[in-house]
Amino acid sequence: MKLDFRKNSITMSISVCKHWVRTQGHCSFGDNCKFGHPVPIPSTPIDQPRPGKRPKIRNRAKAGIFRRWLIDTFGKAILQSGLIEVAGGKGELSFELVNLNGIPCTVIDPRPLDCSRFVNRLLAGYYHKNQVFLSYIDNKDVPTEPNVHLPNSLRLFFESPLWENSWDSNESNLSDMYTRSLNIEWTDKGLVDTYETIGIPKEWPNWNTIQQILDNCGIIVGLHPDQAVEAIVDFALARDKPFAVIPCCTYHKQFPGRNWKGKPLKKYNDLCDYLLAKDYRIQQEVLPFEGKNRVLYLQPNMN
């Protein structure tokens, strides 16, 4: 896509900034961008989904955008006290926080971490090449492999029995929770139970260790945490901890009792409003990436 300007019978062509179009009006380079930022903003393919199919959403850079927003919004002091990421998937957000900012992170997700792609990016200098974002990187030098670190991982579902302390610190209860997590695989149909008998590694954290991680965290976050989004908010409010979540799907079939304004909660915007209504202190912003991009958050000591 290009813009044409005519001056003194000479036609000049300037390419339109793809980030400006994809994010509908945001570019980190600002006035220094060498591409055009037209107003009104041209439509993007996401606005024109194929008939009968979902719009194609670009997932790249969401973790980086969220990481920089967390630093700007909460400050490094809060993050340095320990961050829990729920439903972090492969662990991209926490991997960036650990290696670019030295922030201790724990990912709670039944799926195993797979950071191999992010390790390769880090070693190749991918995260350091953009001068605009260097201010969000504490270690300005590209690390060598021995200095690459992975976030901690708890392969568990983040559900109320884990954090309400309604269970005794009985290892058999935790064993059941681990077994359920190990029997789950991620497929194109979502999380599916494999019903296999799998031994639990002895080195996995015990109940008391898990409770210490939950008690001592400074903030809990979720980037499209799927079914766990409400549990994140409930945990943070119950423990009086700051949080930030970017809701995604409603999963209304898995939560048939969840209602909004007298109707079953099935729409994304209704889910966001439902979560906002849990506490008057919860705020929201829109982040500059495609797809579901509303972030709901609670600052510390918001009374």
Side-chain angles (χ1 to χ4, degrees):
M1 186 183 300
K2 294 184 177 181
L3 299 176
D4 289 331
F5 299 92
R6 296 182 182 276
K7 185 177 181 180
N8 298 329
S9 300
I10 299 177
T11 301
M12 298 180 294
S13 182
I14 301 178
S15 296
V16 174
C17 174
K18 63 180 181 181
H19 304 292
W20 180 262
V21 175
R22 289 176 180 174
T23 61
Q24 290 295 283
H26 178 87
C27 175
S28 298
F29 287 93
D31 294 336
N32 294 323
C33 183
K34 63 182 180 180
F35 299 103
H37 294 166
V39 177
I41 303 168
S43 63
T44 173
I46 190 175
D47 300 324
Q48 304 165 3
R50 295 166 292 171
K53 296 186 178 181
R54 290 183 178 183
K56 184 177 180 180
I57 307 296
R58 298 172 180 84
N59 291 315
R60 196 169 185 178
K62 288 182 179 179
I65 292 171
F66 191 30
R67 176 179 63 86
R68 293 188 289 273
W69 180 88
L70 288 170
I71 293 172
D72 286 339
T73 304
F74 293 97
K76 292 180 182 177
I78 293 294
L79 304 181
Q80 286 285 359
S81 58
L83 179 144
I84 289 177
E85 181 187 6
V86 175
K90 294 181 178 180
E92 183 174 9
L93 173 63
S94 289
F95 178 85
E96 290 190 17
L97 285 165
V98 168
N99 289 281
L100 302 181
N101 305 107
I103 293 169
C105 296
T106 297
V107 178
I108 302 181
D109 192 307
R111 298 164 290 181
L113 296 180
D114 181 8
C115 297
S116 56
R117 180 189 303 174
F118 318 132
V119 170
N120 291 335
R121 287 179 181 175
L122 181 63
L123 295 176
Y126 170 84
Y127 300 107
H128 294 74
K129 68 179 183 179
N130 194 326
Q131 297 295 317
V132 173
F133 301 138
L134 278 182
S135 61
Y136 293 94
I137 297 178
D138 293 287
N139 184 0
K140 299 298 191 284
D141 297 323
V142 177
T144 57
E145 190 166 358
N147 295 315
V148 176
H149 305 284
L150 300 182
N152 296 326
S153 173
L154 290 179
R155 291 191 59 184
L156 293 166
F157 285 92
F158 192 75
E159 297 172 329
S160 58
L162 182 66
W163 52 265
E164 283 184 341
N165 290 328
S166 58
W167 290 13
D168 295 330
S169 57
N170 188 320
E171 291 302 316
S172 64
N173 294 329
L174 180 58
S175 177
D176 292 340
M177 300 175 76
Y178 274 138
T179 299
R180 179 188 171 210
S181 299
L182 287 171
N183 282 335
I184 292 295
E185 288 185 357
W186 182 261
T187 71
D188 57 358
K189 296 181 180 180
L191 292 174
V192 176
D193 197 325
T194 62
Y195 298 101
E196 296 180 2
T197 301
I198 304 175
I200 301 171
K202 293 181 180 180
E203 66 273 14
W204 281 20
N206 59 29
W207 181 264
N208 291 332
T209 300
I210 293 171
Q211 296 308 309
Q212 289 176 7
I213 293 172
L214 296 175
D215 290 340
N216 296 332
C217 78
I219 185 172
I220 184 167
V221 305
L223 171 54
H224 296 164
D226 296 330
Q227 299 100 316
V229 64
E230 186 174 7
I232 296 173
V233 176
D234 290 344
F235 167 81
L237 293 176
R239 299 288 184 93
D240 194 26
K241 292 183 180 292
F243 74 84
V245 293
I246 304 177
C248 188
C249 303
T250 62
Y251 288 93
H252 65 275
K253 293 182 179 180
Q254 296 185 24
F255 299 96
R258 197 155 61 183
N259 295 286
W260 178 244
K261 295 184 177 180
K263 296 181 180 180
L265 200 161
K266 296 183 178 181
K267 297 181 179 180
Y268 168 72
N269 286 333
D270 289 344
L271 173 61
C272 293
D273 292 341
Y274 168 82
L275 296 172
L276 282 168
K278 285 180 174 287
D279 195 294
Y280 72 93
R281 299 171 298 170
I282 300 176
Q283 301 171 271
Q284 68 172 324
E285 291 184 26
V286 176
L287 297 187
F289 57 68
E290 293 181 7
K292 304 297 190 296
N293 59 358
R294 290 175 64 179
V295 55
L296 314 181
Y297 65 101
L298 178 66
Q299 291 275 19
N301 302 319
M302 284 284 294
N303 295 316

